[in-house]
């Protein structure tokens, strides 16, 4: 891959997400968190779609910093629950719910259901020189009957992606990246950046 613009601001202070994204970056591309940039704000996520929430976060940080940046929003969409928790995945059990509380509520709502298919969906919003671009990544799988594994974060202990018998929480980061919805979206982002760089640095 050719060298891309060297520094981007990731509109998040979620260290788990930052670690995942940095593990996907090619050499020479630096991703900085809001903390690295000295930005300490809580960006609301009031919308009904991942696309709108991701856009709001990236635009807010671009307007505040003036830097090229990207944001992402991810939801777990469960077929038997009509797509819930979806855009409210991080707040499923309440505005300030802990991941364990969200998982517990999900498993209670799935009790007795034989249809357990689900998907993780990530939307990345990139602001590049003031213009927005979006990229989507999807990982299909199913919800387990109980939690398993100690790695990862969020709903990882109850989600098994298609093509494996392990939950995300039973995988190391390299294994997770083989299936990851976030990786699929970030790969599309990187392909775009590479094409953009070649087009604008001939």
């Amino acid at each position: 891959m050719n060298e891309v613009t060297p520094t981007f601001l990731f509109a998040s202070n979620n260290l788990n997400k930052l670690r995942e994204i940095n593990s996907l970056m090619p050499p020479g591309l630096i991703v900085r968190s809001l903390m690295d940039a000295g930005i300490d704000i809580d960006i609301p996520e009031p919308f009904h779609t991942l696309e709108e929430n991701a856009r709001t976060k990236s635009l807010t940080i671009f307007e505040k910093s003036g830097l090229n940046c990207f944001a992402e929003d991810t939801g777990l969409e469960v077929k038997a629950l009509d797509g819930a928790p979806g855009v409210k995945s991080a707040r499923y059990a309440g505005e300030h719910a802990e991941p364990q509380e969200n998982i517990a509520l999900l498993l209670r709502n799935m009790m007795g259901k034989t249809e357990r298919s689900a998907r993780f969906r990530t939307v990345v919003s990139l602001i590049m020189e003031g213009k927005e671009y979006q990229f989507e990544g999807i990982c299909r799988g199913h919800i387990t009957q109980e939690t398993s594994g100690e790695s990862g974060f969020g709903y990882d202990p109850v989600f098994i992606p298609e093509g494996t018998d392990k939950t995300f929480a039973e995988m190391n980061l390299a294994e997770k990246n083989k299936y990851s919805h976030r990786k699929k979206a970030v790969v599309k982002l990187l392909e775009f950046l590479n094409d953009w760089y070649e087009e604008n640095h001939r």
Side-chain angles (χ1 to χ4, degrees):
M1 177 177 287
N2 293 334
E3 184 184 4
V4 293
T5 305
T7 303
F8 273 81
L9 191 59
F10 177 42
S12 175
N13 276 323
N14 185 314
L15 296 182
N16 288 309
K17 290 183 178 182
L18 184 66
R19 178 169 169 260
E20 275 195 11
I21 285 174
N22 269 320
S23 76
L24 302 170
M25 294 295 116
L29 179 58
I30 300 170
V31 177
R32 299 164 62 202
S33 69
L34 297 184
M35 190 181 303
D36 293 332
I39 298 174
D40 183 16
I41 59 173
D42 186 21
I43 307 172
E45 297 179 336
F47 298 106
H48 298 296
T49 68
L50 301 176
E51 287 82 0
E52 290 173 297
N53 281 340
R55 179 182 299 115
T56 295
K57 288 188 279 189
S58 61
L59 283 173
T60 298
I61 297 306
F62 176 75
E63 290 169 359
K64 189 171 184 66
S65 69
L67 299 173
N68 291 329
C69 65
F70 65 93
E72 65 90 43
D73 201 21
T74 294
L76 175 65
E77 301 171 345
V78 181
K79 185 174 182 179
L81 302 179
D82 298 321
V87 72
K88 295 185 178 180
S89 291
R91 306 177 298 282
Y92 192 39
E95 193 61 34
H96 302 291
E98 294 294 326
Q100 312 90 273
E101 297 174 293
N102 290 329
I103 288 173
L105 178 59
L106 175 66
L107 291 180
R108 287 199 300 273
N109 289 341
M110 290 294 289
M111 285 182 64
K113 297 187 184 296
T114 55
E115 170 57 76
R116 305 189 74 84
S117 60
R119 67 179 190 174
F120 271 116
R121 190 164 71 91
T122 290
V123 175
V124 170
S125 169
L126 167 70
I127 306 296
M128 186 76 166
E129 299 188 342
K131 185 175 180 180
E132 192 212 13
Y133 307 87
Q134 289 199 348
F135 312 92
E136 181 187 65
I138 292 174
C139 176
R140 291 179 172 82
H142 68 271
I143 303 301
T144 59
Q145 299 284 347
E146 58 187 24
T147 61
S148 184
E150 302 295 330
S151 299
F153 58 99
Y155 295 92
D156 285 359
V158 293
F159 182 84
I160 295 179
E162 289 181 355
T164 181
D165 57 1
K166 291 183 178 181
T167 68
F168 271 152
E170 294 175 299
M171 300 179 185
N172 60 38
L173 191 52
E175 289 177 303
K176 183 177 179 181
N177 281 341
K178 294 178 183 178
Y179 306 95
S180 170
H181 44 291
R182 192 167 288 109
K183 177 183 178 179
K184 292 173 183 176
V186 170
V187 165
K188 292 176 184 178
L189 165 69
L190 291 176
E191 288 172 349
F192 171 86
L193 291 177
N194 192 55
D195 291 344
W196 181 92
Y197 188 83
E198 289 184 346
E199 181 68 25
N200 290 273
H201 293 78
R202 288 176 175 173

